Amino acid sequence: MVAISIINSLAMIFIMILPGYIFRKRSIISVNQIGAVNSIVVNLTWPCLVIDAMQIKFSADTLKDAGYIVIVCFIAFAVIAVLGIPIVKHLKLNKSKQYLVLFMFLQGNTGFIGIPVIKALYGTNALFYAAIVEFAHDIFLFTIGVLLIQMSAGVSLKIRPLDLLSPGLVGVIIGIVLFIMDFKLPDVLGGSIEMIGNATTPLTMFSIGFQLGNIRLKEFFKEWQVYAVLFVKLMIVPAITVIILMILSEEIALLEKVIIILFAMPIASVASIFSQQYKGEVEFATKSVLLSTVMSLVTVPIFAILLEIWI
């Protein structure tokens, strides 16, 4: 029964991919139009989803949980990086791709895909934990993550403080401030934010479907290293996270499940976006992002079921 419930919850999300796929195949909307959809998600619906998720009553225990999540995430980043370095060296990749692959091991799609998946699996009560995991990922993304992409592209290393203020991170900061102040938004404003945030899942899945509609299968069989990267990201990385949490925690409860599932997410789409921005390994990054998204349709349910049955 647990397995069926999990599969049904995830199926409802991933079915939303189909309209985007059909729209791309039939050229119903253009690439520029889907870019507008992505902009709405990034700058509006996603931050609203995060703010709404954090509209819960303040408690010292919940704040303590938030700190614990950030610490666990950074421990996981460190372990994955240490284990990932020898792996990328053995994949026979050039130097630029090695840095990119390490970035992809560390950065999953915890926002666009992860938060909707957590909501479907564990309900709105789990979204606060998911928002904190996203917070940790954003901090890492716009510091070490940017440096890895810059090294991959062979450009001068530079972190701009303003880059840290992504819309998603701003949403998390606003949510945390409201939570600590124990301030409940007025029903009119809070209800509007909730409705806008609820649009994140369908819009995100539509956009992913649109991207998948442009896949040419023959292009994905040229580099075997892509499949090695995906195996590590989708199977080894979450397994490492499970081991870390089993060492640190007395039990694998809801908080721990949220962390594990989010570390099981496919490669973050920013791997492709940043590679384009810095003129790096764009094709390799795009292949990896799209294929990992497809394969996560299988791997994420596997981990979700195992967490309920065996742990």
Side-chain angles (χ1 to χ4, degrees), residues 206-257:
F206 182 90
S207 177
I208 290 170
F210 188 87
Q211 294 177 50
L212 295 178
N214 195 42
I215 288 182
R216 295 179 180 178
L217 292 178
K218 63 180 181 180
E219 294 295 322
F220 290 90
F221 295 100
K222 293 181 179 180
E223 294 178 284
W224 63 268
Q225 292 97 334
V226 171
Y227 297 93
V229 170
L230 299 189
F231 177 76
V232 174
K233 178 66 188 81
L234 297 176
M235 300 300 291
I236 303 301
V237 166
I240 289 171
T241 310
V242 170
I243 294 170
I244 291 171
L245 285 167
M246 290 181 72
I247 294 172
L248 296 177
S249 307
E250 295 180 359
E251 62 175 335
I252 303 297
L254 176 61
L255 183 154
E256 286 76 20
K257 290 176 183 178

Side-chain angles (χ1 to χ4, degrees), residues 107-158:
Q107 285 296 317
N109 201 327
T110 54
F112 295 159
I113 299 180
I115 289 179
V117 166
I118 292 299
K119 184 177 181 180
L121 285 177
Y122 305 121
T124 55
N125 291 336
L127 287 181
F128 179 85
Y129 298 145
I132 299 302
V133 175
E134 171 65 12
F135 173 70
H137 272 77
D138 276 355
I139 292 175
F140 192 90
L141 169 64
F142 291 106
T143 52
I144 305 300
V146 169
L147 292 178
L148 286 171
I149 291 293
Q150 290 174 345
M151 288 189 286
S152 172
V155 300
S156 58
L157 304 184
K158 184 179 181 181

Side-chain angles (χ1 to χ4, degrees), residues 97-111:
K97 285 182 180 178
Q98 287 183 20
Y99 290 121
L100 174 62
V101 168
L102 191 57
F103 173 90
M104 293 192 292
F105 286 166
L106 293 163
Q107 285 296 317
N109 201 327
T110 54

